[in-house]
Amino acid sequence: MSTKKKTCQVCGKKAASLTECKSCGRSYCSKCQSPSTKQNFCKECVAMEGVVSKS
């Protein structure tokens, strides 16, 4: 069984699991998850005004 870690496309660090951002499509680690939303958006997209849809 492989124990390779994937690289976060936001911070560049290795992580066991990544989530895909619904806005930009990049894979990000749990540290790059936006704390202000419970949806799958990276912190960089949430920081840009008007990127995250309300639906």
Side-chain angles (χ1 to χ4, degrees):
M1 202 179 277
S2 178
T3 57
K4 287 187 179 181
K5 292 189 175 187
K6 299 172 185 168
T7 303
C8 175
Q9 294 178 326
V10 177
C11 69
K13 294 183 181 177
K14 300 281 185 184
S17 64
L18 300 174
T19 304
E20 185 177 321
C21 179
K22 289 172 27 177
S23 180
C24 67
R26 291 185 295 176
S27 298
Y28 63 88
C29 67
S30 60
K31 291 182 181 180
C32 291
Q33 166 75 37
S34 172
S36 63
T37 178
K38 292 185 170 66
Q39 297 180 40
N40 293 337
F41 294 108
C42 70
K43 63 184 181 181
E44 288 186 356
C45 283
V46 172
M48 292 189 297
E49 192 173 342
V51 171
V52 178
S53 67
K54 295 188 178 167
S55 57

